[in-house]
Amino acid sequence: MPTRTQPISPSVHREPWGHLPSGEEVSLYTLRNASGLTAQISEFGAVLVSLRTPDRQGKFEDVVLGHHSLEPYLDRSTAQFFGATIGRFGNRIAGGQFDLEGRTYRLAQNNGPNSLHGGPKGFDQVLWSGSGFVDDRGVGVRLQHLSPDGEEGYPGNLQVTVTYTLTDLNELHIDYQASTDQTTILNLTNHSFFNLSGSAKTDILGHELTLYADQFTPTDSNLIPTGDLLSVQGTALDFRSPQTIGARIHMDDVHLRTAGGYDHNFVLRNSGLRHAATLYEPVSGRVLETFTTEPGIQLYSGNFLDGTVTGKNGRRYEKHLGVCLETQHFPDSPNKPRFPSTVLRPGQAFHSKTIYAFKVRPLNL
């Protein structure tokens, strides 16, 4: 039976978390709801640093990979995008370039021939300006960043706001808003690596996953979408009914070979805010339900974690120790006219929403 706990007053706590090499101070925000769930968010990278949720016995543990201190987040080799806000463009852009309104824009090729996650200094590597709040939805932190015209090769002065809200329904809402003074492209997401076993006790291959998607975007050898939409039917990518992540990950499947596991964009059903995925860890009983307004979700099974990074509590982060459910527009959308548009124009207000909802499943279900 779950452990009985006393009611907790929802709160927002801000504390110094270190300094950048430039001398700028970084703050860490701790959000706590009435059930005792806590989320910690850093101003650097607008990173979700930790997220403590209960198992079916009522034991609270951290369910995201990352680091206890600021320093490892300052270097991509140790940051690994753990919990980071990704932009201007999440995922890959082929050849590090795109055409927009008759002009070719060239980006850094930081992933083989591709541009990945906004370039060498994407939104995960900048200092955001944060402010905590309490409102009728819950407790939260609002983070803002002005990305100047030309930053990482992208056009337009882009004003971005990312708002994390922790509700008393045990939901973490992430709201993205943006506006620009020149036509640009934008694809924002969060890159949290989840492990519902708690404190990354086991890998994620035994987690059961359901994706509410009938199609995916197949890729070439550089993990760039071909532009086609394929049915998941008959492939190792069929998660329309609950499957453990490890059940088919080692199959000799053409769609798995290049990535060494799952690193695929799925085409979500319908539109508007809807259910995208359900993740369940049978031992702890923890359930994560993902809802989003985005058209796609990237399933990434931590294929490139190799044990060289040591994270929280001295845990070496080995292959498949975390799973990402990155709500997004499709990879390489600027070069794929058939994909949903990622173009943002002056006068338009960009808004995207993702909800991570946490529950506990009893043993008899």
Side-chain angles (χ1 to χ4, degrees), residues 12 29 31 39 41-42 45-48 85 128-145 159-167 171-178 188-190 350-356:
V12 181
Y29 288 82
L31 314 178
I41 295 99
S42 166
V47 168
L48 177 61
T85 294
W128 297 63
S129 176
S131 58
F133 64 87
V134 178
D135 64 17
D136 56 2
R137 290 197 306 161
V139 294
V141 58
R142 187 172 294 107
L143 301 123
Q144 295 182 310
H145 173 59
Q159 181 66 56
V160 185
T161 302
V162 177
T163 305
Y164 289 89
T165 306
L166 183 62
T167 77
E171 298 174 348
L172 183 67
H173 293 222
I174 309 178
D175 289 275
Y176 306 90
Q177 295 173 287
L188 300 174
T189 190
N190 179 273
F350 173 89
H351 182 220
S352 172
K353 185 179 190 68
T354 292
I355 300 173
Y356 292 122

Side-chain angles (χ1 to χ4, degrees), residues 100-344:
L100 186 63
E101 295 187 333
R103 179 177 171 184
T104 298
Y105 292 89
R106 291 180 170 79
L107 313 171
Q109 296 170 303
N110 61 324
N111 178 246
N114 309 317
S115 176
L116 177 68
H117 292 335
K121 193 177 180 182
F123 288 176
D124 62 300
Q125 290 292 300
V126 301
L127 181 62
W128 297 63
S129 176
S131 58
F133 64 87
V134 178
D135 64 17
D136 56 2
R137 290 197 306 161
V139 294
V141 58
R142 187 172 294 107
L143 301 123
Q144 295 182 310
H145 173 59
L146 174 61
S147 177
D149 179 32
E151 183 175 56
E152 288 298 324
Y154 293 93
N157 292 295
L158 183 77
Q159 181 66 56
V160 185
T161 302
V162 177
T163 305
Y164 289 89
T165 306
L166 183 62
T167 77
D168 285 340
L169 297 175
N170 294 345
E171 298 174 348
L172 183 67
H173 293 222
I174 309 178
D175 289 275
Y176 306 90
Q177 295 173 287
S179 60
T180 182
D181 63 358
Q182 295 181 49
T183 303
T184 191
I185 60 171
L186 185 65
N187 188 19
L188 300 174
T189 190
N190 179 273
H191 205 296
S192 287
F193 286 72
F194 292 100
N195 186 318
L196 301 185
S197 70
S199 302
K201 287 191 290 291
T202 66
D203 63 34
I204 49 81
L205 298 182
H207 286 46
E208 293 179 6
L209 177 65
T210 307
L211 292 176
Y212 302 99
D214 303 311
Q215 297 176 305
F216 70 103
T217 52
T219 66
D220 61 20
S221 60
N222 289 315
L223 299 180
I224 293 295
T226 62
D228 298 321
L229 305 181
L230 291 188
S231 171
V232 299
Q233 178 74 37
T235 74
L237 280 71
D238 190 350
F239 286 94
R240 291 174 297 176
S241 61
Q243 306 286 333
T244 62
I245 295 173
R248 295 171 298 199
I249 200 169
H250 300 301
M251 284 178 56
D252 186 19
D253 183 291
V254 63
H255 303 297
L256 297 180
R257 282 187 217 128
T258 301
Y262 295 105
D263 194 1
H264 300 82
N265 173 66
F266 289 78
V267 181
L268 295 174
R269 301 170 190 157
N270 305 316
S271 60
L273 183 65
R274 73 277 196 214
H275 203 169
T278 298
L279 188 67
Y280 169 57
E281 203 284 305
V283 177
S284 70
R286 291 186 179 94
V287 179
L288 166 60
E289 295 182 335
T290 302
F291 301 82
T292 190
T293 58
E294 288 293 304
I297 188 168
Q298 185 86 6
L299 169 62
Y300 173 55
S301 55
N303 313 319
F304 301 114
L305 298 176
D306 60 5
T308 58
V309 173
T310 299
K312 298 170 185 174
N313 304 314
R315 184 74 157 95
R316 290 177 62 190
Y317 288 161
E318 304 278 1
K319 189 173 184 177
H320 305 318
L321 197 65
V323 58
C324 301
L325 298 168
E326 301 162 72
T327 56
Q328 60 176 14
H329 272 60
F330 304 167
D332 200 36
S333 290
N335 296 313
K336 300 291 189 295
R338 292 176 54 201
F339 285 0
S341 176
T342 54
V343 174
L344 180 66

Side-chain angles (χ1 to χ4, degrees), residues 38-53:
T38 59
Q40 291 187 309
I41 295 99
S42 166
E43 284 183 318
F44 182 77
V47 168
L48 177 61
V49 174
S50 73
L51 186 58
R52 295 179 61 83
T53 72

Side-chain angles (χ1 to χ4, degrees), residues 26-40:
V26 178
S27 292
L28 181 71
Y29 288 82
T30 301
L31 314 178
R32 182 177 62 176
N33 76 358
S35 302
L37 267 73
T38 59
Q40 291 187 309

